Amino acid sequence: MTTLKNFRPDAPAADRARLAPGRQRLLDAAAERRQHRRFWPQAGWKLAAAGAAAGVAVAAVLVAQVTPTPDTHRVEAEYATSPEPNDSQWLYQKVLTRRSTLNFRDDLNPVPKKGASAYWESTQETWTQYGTGKIRRMSSQGGSPDTVMGEGGGGSPKKLRQKLEKLPSEPQQLLRSLSEVIRLGGDYQRIQYTFSITSTIQFETRLSLFRALKTIPGVVVRPQLVEDAMGRPALAVHPSDDNPYTRETHRREELLFDPETFEYRGERMMMLVGGMIDSEVTTEETLLSVSAVQRFAAAVNEPGVRP
């Protein structure tokens, strides 16, 4: 039902007036059954008919909620299973980033920019060819989608998907196998990189990767949900605050995941208590940057086209 609801989040809930006729027929048939128990076949037939009518009414409500609209094809990848793209198609991704306007010239003691708003936003759109890994990007400043060209560092999405689908589900075995697929960083960095560059990971693989992530020593899953740059609820995962980078900079870098599907949502950076902003010691966590990654189920035929 959650999946169906996500197809049409704007559909109105069924009101009592629409359900009342079917409900009343059902109640009438039930009352008749109590009054005429000796005529069970006839009463049973009426009850079945009334129940069927009520079922049709409910079914009509469900159909009304999931009837396709022009936006149905925009359902995001975490809520839909799409056919595997062909080699010539392009995977589309859009990233919204919200950053603090603090001036970081003095990196450990940023200062507010006079007259500036607290945050500024930027967007970046990326098209990655499924079979080759070629990349085209377009920023919020506009321009051609061919502004930046190159090959994905992890190989083509097709090859990476094939390798990831062969990973074992047991966490320690998965971490060992992943180190042979991605030969950079430690276990945490490898999983972070895998989630951030791969948009075609199947749910079972995402779940196995997330479980393995939680077994890495020093990795923390925050008990409270946070929000990505689009305001969507997300799980925040990060190294513990006693790691050298966080102790030195008083900044925590978090990975964000959908709490139900474990789809990669983006990242967040927080200034922790004890840091310095404009020569004042921070007494609460302060948002420095947060992103929201949108990946769509439908592949497109050329860069510049949006699903």
Side-chain angles (χ1 to χ4, degrees):
M1 291 302 295
T2 300
T3 301
L4 290 176
K5 183 176 66 177
N6 285 324
F7 275 109
R8 287 288 308 279
D10 58 334
D15 55 32
R16 297 176 65 89
R18 294 181 66 183
L19 298 178
R23 180 176 181 273
Q24 188 59 50
R25 287 194 295 271
L26 183 61
L27 293 175
D28 291 344
E32 183 177 352
R33 175 171 176 258
R34 288 194 298 270
Q35 295 171 4
H36 303 285
R37 289 184 183 272
R38 60 178 177 174
F39 300 112
W40 168 250
Q42 181 181 5
W45 175 83
K46 290 184 178 180
L47 178 61
V56 169
V58 174
V61 173
L62 290 176
V63 170
Q65 290 179 339
V66 300
T67 298
T69 70
D71 289 334
T72 299
H73 67 287
R74 297 181 64 85
V75 175
E76 294 178 38
E78 59 264 41
Y79 294 123
T81 301
S82 60
E84 183 174 4
N86 62 50
D87 288 358
S88 64
Q89 288 186 302
W90 299 74
L91 302 175
Y92 173 73
Q93 174 178 287
K94 184 176 182 180
V95 180
L96 168 67
T97 302
R98 183 154 53 98
R99 299 183 187 276
S100 167
T101 54
L102 291 170
N103 187 327
F104 281 89
R105 283 180 298 181
D106 181 1
D107 197 44
L108 297 181
N109 182 20
V111 297
K113 292 183 179 180
K114 294 182 179 180
S117 58
Y119 299 97
W120 63 271
E121 293 185 350
S122 63
T123 59
Q124 179 176 274
E125 297 172 285
T126 303
W127 290 263
T128 305
Q129 194 167 42
Y130 187 68
T132 67
K134 292 180 179 178
I135 295 173
R136 307 288 187 268
R137 290 195 179 103
M138 180 187 295
S139 70
S140 54
Q141 284 70 39
S144 165
D146 288 334
T147 300
V148 178
M149 302 174 60
E151 301 291 330
S156 72
K158 179 179 181 178
K159 289 181 180 178
L160 189 54
R161 172 174 175 161
Q162 291 172 344
K163 292 178 180 178
L164 293 177
E165 288 179 347
K166 296 177 182 178
L167 291 175
S169 59
E170 196 281 321
Q172 296 309 310
Q173 294 178 9
L174 183 149
L175 293 174
R176 286 193 294 270
S177 298
L178 187 62
S179 68
E180 299 175 1
V181 176
I182 300 176
R183 301 180 181 275
L184 55 86
D187 290 334
Y188 180 85
Q189 288 77 18
R190 279 191 283 267
I191 290 186
Q192 176 186 27
Y193 180 73
T194 300
F195 273 113
S196 66
I197 68 169
T198 310
S199 60
T200 58
I201 303 178
Q202 298 300 303
F203 172 76
E204 293 78 8
T205 305
R206 290 200 303 268
L207 181 57
S208 295
L209 284 166
F210 187 81
R211 285 172 173 165
L213 182 63
K214 294 196 299 181
T215 68
I216 299 173
V219 170
V220 176
V221 180
R222 290 174 63 92
Q224 301 88 10
L225 295 179
V226 301
E227 291 186 351
D228 68 6
M230 293 178 60
R232 300 176 299 184
L235 283 168
V237 181
H238 58 86
S240 61
D241 292 343
D242 61 358
N243 72 84
Y245 172 82
T246 302
R247 284 203 311 268
E248 180 181 354
T249 64
H250 290 281
R251 297 175 202 167
R252 180 199 298 134
E253 295 183 351
E254 302 172 346
L255 299 178
L256 304 182
F257 297 93
D258 183 286
E260 295 180 357
T261 67
F262 308 106
E263 177 78 8
Y264 176 72
R265 285 291 199 209
E267 299 186 12
R268 207 171 73 138
M269 180 180 285
M270 305 294 294
M271 174 74 81
L272 304 183
V273 174
M276 299 283 287
I277 296 179
D278 199 15
S279 301
E280 298 290 333
V281 177
T282 55
T283 58
E284 61 183 21
E285 293 186 2
T286 304
L287 179 68
L288 296 181
S289 67
V290 61
S291 61
V293 174
Q294 291 178 280
R295 291 165 169 165
F296 296 86
V300 297
N301 292 328
E302 59 184 43
V305 176
R306 299 170 180 85

